[in-house]
Amino acid sequence: MNCKFCETENPDSAVYCKQCGKRIDGNTVCPVCHKLTPDDAVFCTECGARLDGKNVCEECGTLYEGRFCPACGKAKENAPAIVKAKGEPAPMDESAAWQKILWHVGSGLGLLTAVCSLIFVFLIACSVSVDKSVSGILSDFGIRDSMNLYYCFGEMYEDIAADLDSMMSYSAFEEISLYSVAAVQTTIAAGVLIAVPVLSVLTVIRFIFCYTGKKQKPVGTLAFATFLTYLGGAVLFLAANALRIKLSVSGSYISIKTDVPVSYNGATTAGIALCAVFAVLSLACFIARRGKSLLNKNTIINLSFTAVAIAFLSVVIAFCSQPPVSVSETGSGRSSFYLGLLTLASVIPSALKTDAELYFSFAYIAYILLAAIVVLSVLTTIKLCKNTVEEKHSTGLGYAIAAFATCILCMIFAILAINETAEEIVDSSSSAETGYAGMIVLCVFTALTMIVAIAHKVTDYCLNGKKQ
């Protein structure tokens, strides 16, 4: 590769010429924002600063170097630009004290987000308000009045052993399926109880490093990763026990109407809400500290795409905790069962007499794919958060495509499992109706997230002429 300035031959991997020291591609690095700008440009296309480092006097328009205009003597109002090292926050004007305050407040709120996530992760649980009319049905689905993460490490297996002992007879497959369902929940509980404390400690360490003068990345991204890991664990735990029962029975002597969902307990709901508030406020501080740079066209477009994508991802993560399929019967009344995929898998061995292994596998795989959707959505959100904290131009396109493809596969396996099991679940002479509203919502919003990511990528390429 030859240098376009001095024609010296350089290695193909070289960025700067070994003879003249200039960039081989002919671009110039802005001394203020460190973005690449065409060599013939006078001003940076990203931040508008002069590439030669000179100043324009606001009083008389004279071009000069230094702090004072040689023509009229007016002092330069702003301090010299601060050089930004890789991984550090964007440079700020020394006189803009409010920007520093916002930076510290944003970092402090990020730390609070991580600490709250650490506290509330140990309180993750789901519960159900037991109605006498459905208490027996809940037992059939293996749902208790209240379940927390610690239940998955011992008591769950004791309950399975007790249930098996109470049966007159059972097949080896029934035993394996019960323990397989329990193993998934134990894996989720162990993963979140390990990951959140580790990320919280790393957040605290990074916070300390930032305030001791050591060069580190901002606290915000790691703090948001901690919260999103906590949120993802809570979503997967509820999804593993997701169930909603609606009964509407009317007769001459009896009338029953009830709606019993499995939901987060009060501590989990409060923890998610509190951490979300701290995280949003922290993001707002990091965005607001940019000041006038927020008026830059590229910044507006980048943050707009980021906000829309995060909104769609929030819907995806929220719906992953809800029952994605349903079964309804009609007759003198109407009974509807909204089932989580792992809940569906747990009832298939006892509900089906033939091909139970096949349809159990379909439901089990569908839940694993649902867990993958949650993980991919969390990773995409973390990547997008860097756009607000570290001023990146991440689109999360790869994760978004993977999440959509995984959602389609999940829907296929879920439909195969519920269609065969529907009539056995309602246990009724009337025909059973199946529904997939939850899965359809997931597919729609993962598709929207992917479309936004594609549009973001294309827009970045068109505006900047290079891959971000």
Side-chain angles (χ1 to χ4, degrees):
M1 181 184 297
N2 293 330
C3 174
K4 66 173 293 185
F5 297 102
C6 66
E7 299 298 328
T8 301
E9 186 175 353
N10 291 272
D12 292 339
S13 60
V15 178
Y16 295 93
C17 176
K18 64 183 180 181
Q19 184 65 32
C20 66
K22 295 183 179 180
R23 287 188 64 91
I24 294 177
D25 58 11
N27 289 326
T28 300
V29 179
C30 174
V32 177
C33 69
H34 294 269
K35 296 294 179 65
L36 294 181
T37 304
D39 186 57
D40 58 351
V42 177
F43 295 92
C44 176
T45 57
E46 290 286 338
C47 67
R50 286 189 64 92
L51 298 177
D52 56 10
K54 294 182 179 180
N55 308 309
V56 178
C57 179
E58 298 179 359
E59 188 71 24
C60 64
T62 301
L63 188 66
Y64 68 97
E65 297 180 358
R67 293 186 57 85
F68 297 93
C69 174
C72 66
K74 182 176 177 61
K76 180 184 176 184
E77 293 186 358
N78 296 327
I82 302 171
V83 178
K84 172 188 172 186
K86 185 178 181 180
E88 290 184 343
M92 295 187 299
D93 190 334
E94 289 289 349
S95 63
W98 63 272
Q99 289 181 300
K100 294 182 179 179
I101 293 174
L102 286 174
W103 171 258
H104 292 307
V105 171
S107 297
L109 288 169
L111 182 63
L112 278 176
T113 303
V115 171
C116 286
S117 299
L118 175 62
I119 294 172
F120 284 100
V121 72
F122 298 104
L123 304 177
I124 291 177
C126 56
S127 59
V128 56
S129 299
V130 178
D131 189 301
K132 292 182 179 179
S133 60
V134 297
S135 58
I137 301 176
L138 290 173
S139 299
D140 293 339
F141 285 103
I143 302 298
R144 290 162 41 107
D145 297 354
S146 179
M147 294 163 287
N148 56 33
L149 295 180
Y150 313 107
Y151 173 68
C152 303
F153 293 103
E155 194 176 351
M156 176 185 288
Y157 296 93
E158 294 174 1
D159 286 349
I160 292 174
D163 290 341
L164 292 174
D165 290 339
S166 65
M167 295 181 184
M168 296 294 293
S169 63
Y170 57 86
S171 65
F173 169 67
E174 287 182 281
E175 181 179 11
I176 292 172
S177 63
L178 288 174
Y179 282 111
S180 297
V181 170
V184 170
Q185 297 192 56
T186 302
T187 302
I188 293 170
V192 70
L193 286 173
I194 292 173
V196 172
V198 169
L199 289 171
S200 299
V201 171
L202 291 176
T203 303
V204 173
I205 292 174
R206 181 172 291 181
F207 183 84
I208 294 172
F209 281 173
C210 284
Y211 282 85
T212 54
K214 296 185 178 180
K215 294 180 180 180
Q216 291 288 324
K217 290 184 178 180
V219 173
T221 303
L222 196 52
F224 302 143
T226 306
F227 164 57
L228 290 169
T229 302
Y230 158 61
L231 177 61
V235 166
L236 288 177
F237 184 69
L238 181 58
N241 299 283
L243 176 66
R244 184 175 186 177
I245 301 173
K246 286 186 176 182
L247 296 180
S248 180
V249 180
S250 300
S252 302
Y253 303 100
I254 187 172
S255 178
I256 300 175
K257 287 186 178 181
T258 185
D259 184 355
V260 181
V262 177
S263 58
Y264 293 123
N265 67 346
T268 306
T269 302
I272 292 174
L274 189 62
C275 291
V277 169
F278 287 146
V280 170
L281 291 175
S282 180
L283 281 175
C285 288
F286 285 120
I287 293 174
R289 65 170 289 276
R290 297 192 191 184
K292 293 181 179 179
S293 66
L294 286 174
L295 301 178
N296 179 277
K297 180 177 68 175
N298 283 2
T299 301
I300 293 173
I301 292 174
N302 185 36
L303 291 179
S304 298
F305 276 118
T306 299
V308 173
I310 290 178
F312 288 155
L313 288 167
S314 299
V315 176
V316 172
I317 294 172
F319 267 88
C320 280
S321 67
Q322 302 302 309
V325 294
S326 63
V327 180
S328 302
E329 64 168 336
T330 56
S332 58
R334 184 177 181 87
S335 300
S336 299
F337 302 89
Y338 298 82
L339 303 169
L341 298 173
L342 206 59
T343 306
L344 175 62
S346 66
V347 301
I348 286 178
S350 58
L352 294 182
K353 304 302 180 183
T354 58
D355 296 328
E357 295 89 346
L358 176 63
Y359 293 104
F360 170 82
S361 300
F362 287 161
Y364 197 80
I365 292 172
Y367 178 78
I368 299 300
L369 292 172
L370 183 73
I373 294 170
V374 174
V375 172
L376 289 168
S377 298
V378 166
L379 291 174
T380 308
T381 308
I382 293 172
K383 200 171 183 65
L384 291 173
C385 283
K386 293 182 177 181
N387 295 346
T388 62
V389 180
E390 301 178 23
E391 302 183 26
K392 302 287 187 180
H393 279 253
S394 302
T395 62
L397 178 58
Y399 290 141
I401 293 174
F404 176 67
T406 304
C407 193
I408 295 297
L409 288 175
C410 180
M411 185 173 184
I412 292 172
F413 280 106
I415 291 174
L416 290 174
I418 192 64
N419 280 347
E420 184 65 24
T421 319
E423 292 186 2
E424 301 297 335
I425 291 176
V426 298
D427 192 20
S428 171
S429 57
S430 60
S431 60
E433 300 175 357
T434 56
Y436 324 104
M439 287 305 314
I440 292 173
V441 170
L442 285 177
C443 288
V444 168
F445 277 92
T446 51
L448 289 173
T449 304
M450 181 181 66
I451 291 171
V452 170
I454 293 173
H456 193 177
K457 177 71 74 174
V458 171
T459 304
D460 274 349
Y461 183 84
C462 293
L463 288 176
N464 302 293
K466 61 180 187 300
K467 185 179 179 181
Q468 290 292 337

